[in-house]
Amino acid sequence: MAEQVAEALGSATTMTMLVVLAATLLVFALLKVWLSGSKGNTVLLVGPCDAGKTTLLHQLCDGSTHLGSVASMVPTEADGQLASEKAGGATSARPVQLVDIPGHPRVRGQVERYAGRAAGVVFVVDSVDFMPRKTEAAEQLFEVLSAPALARRRVPLLLACNKQDMGSKAHTVDFIRKRLEKELDQMRSTRGALGDVGGGSGGGKAAQLGLPGEPFTFESHARSRGVRVTTATLSAVDKGGVAEVEAFIRKSVPA
Amino acid sequence: MLDHVCVFTKGGSLLWALSFVALKGDPINTLIRACLLEDRAAQSSFEYIIPSGGTYALKWSLNNGLGLVFVAVYQKALKLLYVDELLERLNRAFSTRYSPGCFEYPEFDATFQRLLKDCEQKAEAARRPSAPQLAPHQPNAQQRRAPGASSGSGEESSEEGDSDGTAFAPVTTNGKPAGSSADQSSDDAEAEGGAGAAANGAEFVPDLHKLKKLGKRAGPGGKTTRQHADRAEETKKKAAAPAKKGKQARVWGNIGGAAKEDGPLDFTDGDASQATITTADLNQRSLIDVEEDVSYDDEGTDEDEAGAEAAAATKKGGLLSSFVRTLGVNVVGTQALTRSDIEPALATLKKKLMERNVAEEIADKVTESVATSVEGRKLASFTRVSTAVQQAVEEALTRILTPKRSIDILREVKEAQAKGRPYSIVFVGVNGVGKSTNLAKVAYWLLQNGIKVMIAACDTFRSGAVEQLKTHCGRLQVPLYERGYEKDPAKVAFEAAKAAQRAGIDVLLVDTAGRMQDNEPLMRALSNLINLNQPDLVLFVGEALVGNDAVDQLTKFNQRLADLCPDPSQRHLIDGIVLTKFDTIDDKVGAALSMVYTSGAPIMFVGCGQTYVDLKKLNVKSVVKSLLK
């Protein structure tokens, strides 16, 4: 009995089987490397309701706003090249996956689902209707900045102030940045007291924002946590208004 | 007639729209936010009050397979009978043309005009002969005959007044319909019934409901095998579940072990005559601040499920049954889900929710809403229907329980602090749910966060209420504003707010008398208190033990607060919920869902024990998990 087993083990068939097994494993490993390599091209579009995320998505992907948009209910994923690059004929550019995540409080927890493969986050804010809804925006920005999956991987964030085409009705980028910093600073102390952030998060401990001793600024956050936060003007309805966002996307997802 | 019709994707891209009259306000977005995203899609129409006056009625149809939404807007005053049918036909016509990358369909205008004309004519023809009689059933039958003529389905031939009953019969007795036609006809029948009911007033409604229920009850009967399999798996899962769950460790024990004597709220053992009252130890951390180390391993559950499944299969009799089950998986693996496919899974889910103490009405509405969102969806191969439904329910429950409003009270307090006015919180609720106890817990938590608190005793009704608060205040070393009994609570609260302002207090906690939701004079007094003082936050205190009554309580409280308010623009409804006695219910967490769904208000605090530190925040994930366990 034992000899038979030993013989079977030593036989040529077994060797072939082993080789086949090893080859399969190798293929799987390669596949995984390849897949994980292509994973890092996702850019998330987040922000409060009515900030213009869906419009921005269309402008970036198709170079047109089509008929307009209504409140989104589910995230939209769009793969492919940026519209401007397609028009420019730069075929070698690496495709980007854009994910538009609805701003409604009930569904914006979905950021978590995509956080793992995000290479960049564009936080879109409405510059015109900013003041009455600044707390809402700040709250959401807080959730994004403290999302463990994003903070751990130091995913850069772009604060894009949309609707800058509205002229004097729109607040300036600087004003919005300062206001949000102030709100976030306050939220840091109150949110900390409440333990786990938001109802929906559960993927580990929430990340800290900025340095504990000093007032919160995006600059200090970048210094202490390594998460780059930049600002940009945006006018999602114009073709030329999305240039700064495009630059950010290209920086996050190198061609 | 119609004001506006549009088609958009669930992702928010408008695909096609046709305006007959320019829309006032923003009815479409309001519909999405207040209805479709709130899992209230099971209702058949939505009303939008135009800011400049008037009301729109909105009806919609979903195509879950393609992720499309079809909406029609019209003046509510016009009772349009053909809208449901029009939307159904629009749905079918548009779906064939839809291609995911395309965002413009200008050529669809003509098709729609034809559909509209068709539907209008049919409605007109159906109405004319029946108009003089005004019998409730007659126009309905006429209505039903109309679509039958166009679609040419076999069982549409019945023309009697109460033909609805017979029209349902083929669907119910056949069990699984042979194709989509039988199912479609039942859909049509429902839609038509709905239109008829809308036209004829309320008298038809109960009838229709009964029919629907009948259909539902009889529906799954034909597929007992699958249901049995589901149930077997269900029990198996349940058996496997308790081992996984485990009780969460009480964290406070090792923090303040020395202060244990201060912990219980029970003071009967202390000498009453003694002047010195022991004060509560503020160094203990309220549990709301203690971070929980609960890990949610989603992959784990999948494996468990698979394990349970395998175990169930082997137990049920080996290879054959498991083979049959796999067949059940694959058959529906490629085609769109029909109502009858998901019916058994929904039934088990509803049962499960009700076992978890969710009010029946709410369980009904949630499953119905899930059904509308799953129907027509295409399953990935090797996915079971029950898994897909389970996932949809999980998503829906998470959505419902996720707060829509900020629950960061501390930040709001700080905002008020900066403005130099006290932030006032009123606690309301029925008798004996723990209003005063949880008010004290909240006070304790606020004190820990360095906030100056004052308590107002506005329960001027129940004997001993003021003394109870006095004891709490003594222990927490917090000022109490009281004017004894037999005073108007609204006035006491008003004076307390003034006193708090003078004393530089940050938060004023107002305790009110417990009242049953049907007690008219007391509800009037409460509404008066809230309207006079306009507090920043009205917290409804409800116990987690409550079952079906939760819906009634919250509905009536909200309704009375709204109705009894002299100025509708100033009305203040319930802003948040305090769920008490959460430690006594194990996994029957259904009251949380019932309350949140009924009121739309988030759960701000959860009372989970007898001591001051036993105040927590709701963890949505764990509640959803317990609900579906």
Side-chain angles (χ1 to χ4, degrees):
Chain A
M1 189 69 187
E3 290 139 300
Q4 275 177 343
V5 170
E7 199 180 316
L9 276 176
S11 76
T13 21
T14 328
M15 284 305 286
T16 334
M17 273 172 74
L18 278 177
V19 168
V20 168
L21 199 72
T24 331
L25 282 177
L26 194 73
V27 167
F28 270 119
L30 281 176
L31 207 67
K32 198 171 179 204
V33 167
W34 178 67
L35 279 177
S36 63
S38 69
K39 258 183 188 170
N41 70 342
T42 304
V43 174
L44 311 182
L45 307 181
V46 294
C49 283
D50 264 343
K53 298 175 293 297
T54 310
T55 312
L56 175 63
L57 178 88
H58 286 319
Q59 190 65 264
L60 287 171
C61 290
D62 311 321
S64 142
T65 59
H66 303 304
L67 289 176
S69 61
V70 294
S72 307
M73 286 186 271
V74 294
T76 317
E77 293 173 33
D79 291 286
Q81 286 178 326
L82 297 178
S84 60
E85 287 169 357
K86 228 184 286 174
T91 43
S92 61
R94 196 170 149 203
V96 179
Q97 185 186 41
L98 294 172
V99 182
D100 162 34
I101 294 165
H104 193 276
R106 296 242 198 244
V107 272
R108 68 189 184 206
Q110 304 244 9
V111 173
E112 260 178 76
R113 240 176 70 192
Y114 296 96
R117 51 178 159 136
V121 177
V122 179
F123 192 89
V124 187
V125 196
D126 184 342
S127 316
V128 177
D129 197 23
F130 175 69
M131 279 315 273
R133 295 168 58 197
K134 64 175 193 297
T135 330
E136 191 196 332
E139 220 152 56
Q140 201 179 348
L141 183 56
F142 186 95
E143 276 163 33
V144 172
L145 284 176
S146 59
L150 292 172
R152 199 177 51 237
R153 291 171 43 241
R154 305 189 169 177
V155 177
L157 185 136
L158 179 77
L159 180 66
C161 305
N162 195 11
K163 310 194 187 175
Q164 290 289 334
D165 50 298
M166 302 292 268
S168 59
K169 272 197 261 174
H171 293 285
T172 62
V173 175
D174 237 26
F175 176 82
I176 291 171
R177 180 177 56 84
K178 282 198 182 122
R179 274 301 162 130
L180 284 176
E181 280 176 349
K182 211 174 134 199
E183 289 282 326
L184 285 173
D185 184 44
Q186 205 177 49
M187 230 168 262
R188 221 164 30 147
S189 59
T190 61
R191 282 296 184 105
L194 277 160
D196 71 326
V197 179
S201 82
K205 213 173 163 193
Q208 294 290 313
L209 264 63
L211 284 169
E214 56 185 75
F216 177 86
T217 57
F218 290 127
E219 198 266 320
S220 80
H221 185 62
R223 227 176 332 110
S224 57
R225 309 285 162 197
V227 177
R228 188 161 46 86
V229 181
T230 43
T231 53
T233 58
L234 169 65
S235 163
V237 289
D238 302 328
K239 223 168 215 160
V242 294
E244 286 184 51
V245 175
E246 272 177 353
F248 170 81
I249 291 172
R250 263 301 151 224
K251 210 172 156 193
S252 313
V253 185
Chain B
M1 297 296 255
L2 279 176
D3 281 19
H4 186 85
V5 184
C6 61
V7 182
F8 52 88
T9 64
K10 286 190 176 175
S13 318
L14 201 58
L15 295 177
W16 178 84
L18 189 64
S19 267
F20 296 92
V21 186
L23 282 180
K24 284 173 249 155
D26 194 2
I28 307 274
N29 280 329
T30 314
L31 166 77
I32 296 169
R33 281 185 203 131
C35 180
L36 301 181
L37 271 173
E38 300 277 321
D39 286 280
R40 281 155 216 265
Q43 63 196 53
S44 66
S45 74
F46 178 78
E47 282 175 15
Y48 175 78
I49 297 159
I50 308 164
S52 55
T55 310
Y56 281 133
L58 284 90
K59 288 202 175 223
W60 63 91
S61 160
L62 302 176
N63 185 326
N64 296 306
L66 298 170
L68 298 178
V69 185
F70 304 82
V71 178
V73 186
Y74 57 95
Q75 295 286 342
K76 196 199 157 207
L78 304 169
K79 296 211 180 327
L80 299 186
L81 300 174
Y82 56 82
V83 178
D84 285 303
E85 195 204 335
L86 177 71
L87 282 172
E88 264 334 297
R89 293 181 67 179
L90 173 65
N91 191 334
R92 262 173 269 154
F94 195 87
S95 303
T96 54
R97 308 205 177 187
Y98 176 66
S99 67
C102 182
F103 291 95
E104 272 147 76
Y105 299 85
E107 76 286 351
F108 194 71
D109 283 6
T111 319
F112 176 75
Q113 292 291 5
R114 211 187 56 232
L115 280 179
L116 179 65
K117 214 169 156 197
D118 212 26
C119 288
E120 268 178 347
Q121 274 171 359
K122 231 180 275 169
E124 193 60 34
R127 204 172 42 163
R128 208 169 288 143
S130 65
Q133 297 170 9
L134 274 172
H137 284 270
Q138 200 59 26
N140 206 37
Q142 297 278 359
Q143 279 274 318
R144 282 193 35 68
R145 215 180 307 156
S150 69
S151 63
S153 295
E155 71 268 11
E156 302 276 338
S157 53
S158 49
E159 290 177 79
E160 295 304 312
D162 54 353
S163 66
D164 288 82
T166 50
F168 269 94
V171 188
T172 53
T173 48
N174 285 356
K176 206 174 227 166
S180 64
S181 74
D183 195 62
Q184 202 168 299
S185 77
S186 91
D187 268 356
D188 273 359
E190 261 185 52
E192 294 303 329
N200 297 318
E203 70 264 69
F204 189 67
V205 178
D207 213 340
L208 180 74
H209 275 291
K210 215 182 286 168
L211 278 171
K212 265 191 185 169
K213 259 183 210 158
L214 264 176
K216 234 184 261 168
R217 216 171 294 150
K223 292 150 291 166
T224 34
T225 41
R226 254 213 355 243
Q227 223 182 359
H228 271 303
D230 269 354
R231 207 167 294 156
E233 193 215 11
E234 211 55 55
T235 45
K236 199 68 209 163
K237 244 196 262 173
K238 230 174 276 163
K244 249 192 342 191
K245 196 222 167 191
K247 196 175 185 281
Q248 281 171 7
R250 303 254 296 193
V251 200
W252 56 273
N254 47 21
I255 299 171
K260 204 141 199 186
E261 46 177 9
D262 289 339
L265 295 166
D266 180 39
F267 277 87
T268 45
D269 57 341
D271 192 354
S273 64
Q274 214 173 324
T276 53
I277 308 172
T278 46
T279 57
D281 179 10
L282 274 178
N283 294 324
Q284 273 178 295
R285 274 188 94 194
S286 185
L287 279 185
I288 202 161
D289 294 339
V290 181
E291 279 199 40
E292 285 177 71
D293 277 343
V294 193
S295 60
Y296 309 98
D297 42 342
D298 290 331
E299 298 91 335
T301 53
D302 279 7
E303 279 166 26
D304 287 350
E305 223 162 86
E309 217 170 279
T314 45
K315 199 182 174 191
K316 271 208 83 186
L319 278 171
L320 189 66
S321 68
S322 71
F323 177 63
V324 170
R325 281 161 54 84
T326 352
L327 270 185
V329 175
N330 285 339
V331 164
V332 286
T334 45
Q335 67 199 32
L337 285 174
T338 62
R339 185 63 187 230
S340 53
D341 284 330
I342 50 180
E343 207 65 72
L346 282 182
T348 37
L349 260 164
K350 193 188 160 195
K351 209 174 122 230
K352 201 188 278 183
L353 286 180
M354 281 169 68
E355 274 168 10
R356 295 281 174 272
N357 207 11
V358 176
E360 189 196 353
E361 197 184 334
I362 306 298
D364 238 352
K365 279 184 187 160
V366 170
T367 42
E368 194 61 32
S369 160
V370 167
T372 52
S373 76
V374 172
E375 211 178 333
R377 213 187 264 180
K378 284 192 175 66
L379 280 185
S381 43
F382 297 108
T383 323
R384 297 164 31 130
V385 180
S386 58
T387 320
V389 172
Q390 171 113 9
Q391 205 181 345
V393 172
E394 204 176 311
E395 274 168 27
L397 292 180
T398 313
R399 239 183 353 245
I400 293 167
L401 287 169
T402 304
K404 192 167 48 165
R405 160 195 202 287
S406 161
I407 58 165
D408 193 352
I409 292 179
L410 277 185
R411 191 183 52 72
E412 285 173 29
V413 168
K414 294 234 159 108
E415 231 164 65
Q417 209 175 9
K419 283 182 194 148
R421 63 177 184 85
Y423 185 89
S424 53
I425 306 177
V426 176
F427 288 73
V428 304
V430 303
N431 309 76
V433 289
K435 280 178 300 303
S436 309
T437 309
N438 283 282
L439 177 134
K441 285 185 199 171
V442 171
Y444 180 85
W445 173 65
L446 289 170
L447 284 173
Q448 279 188 317
N449 286 290
I451 285 163
K452 278 179 271 176
V453 181
M454 184 183 200
I455 295 177
C458 293
D459 184 352
T460 57
F461 191 66
R462 177 174 65 96
S463 318
V466 176
E467 284 72 20
Q468 186 189 358
L469 280 181
K470 242 182 222 164
T471 315
H472 280 310
C473 287
R475 294 196 64 211
L476 296 169
Q477 296 189 307
V478 159
L480 173 74
Y481 189 91
E482 54 107 353
R483 283 290 169 269
Y485 295 94
E486 300 296 329
K487 289 269 163 41
D488 178 12
K491 270 187 198 140
V492 177
F494 190 73
E495 285 161 19
K498 276 190 174 167
Q501 176 98 50
R502 273 198 303 276
I505 295 289
D506 299 324
V507 177
L508 176 70
L509 300 173
V510 180
D511 188 31
T512 65
R515 60 206 77 211
M516 296 314 285
Q517 64 270 29
D518 295 314
N519 190 324
E520 181 68 25
L522 281 178
M523 287 311 286
R524 204 170 275 278
L526 180 68
S527 156
N528 191 20
L529 188 151
I530 287 168
N531 290 325
L532 184 70
N533 293 290
Q534 286 298 326
D536 296 277
L537 199 67
V538 177
L539 290 183
F540 178 85
V541 185
E543 52 182 5
L545 301 160
V546 74
N548 282 320
D549 199 39
V551 181
D552 192 49
Q553 282 177 13
L554 268 164
T555 319
K556 289 218 168 113
F557 262 84
N558 254 341
Q559 201 165 21
R560 295 320 283 160
L561 288 183
D563 290 353
L564 296 170
C565 178
D567 180 5
S569 65
Q570 290 270 304
R571 70 182 194 183
H572 199 128
L573 303 182
I574 289 162
D575 300 303
I577 296 164
V578 182
L579 196 62
T580 64
K581 310 187 188 175
F582 203 69
D583 52 331
T584 61
I585 51 161
D586 195 24
D587 59 356
K588 298 207 183 307
V589 294
L593 182 71
S594 305
M595 289 188 189
V596 171
Y597 192 89
T598 312
S599 65
I603 291 177
M604 301 251 188
F605 300 105
V606 179
C608 54
Q610 311 294 319
T611 63
Y612 285 138
V613 294
D614 290 323
L615 192 67
K616 277 195 184 178
K617 228 171 50 142
L618 190 78
N619 190 318
V620 175
K621 277 200 173 167
S622 66
V623 169
V624 171
K625 232 178 161 184
S626 321
L627 279 172
L628 296 177
K629 200 165 58 188

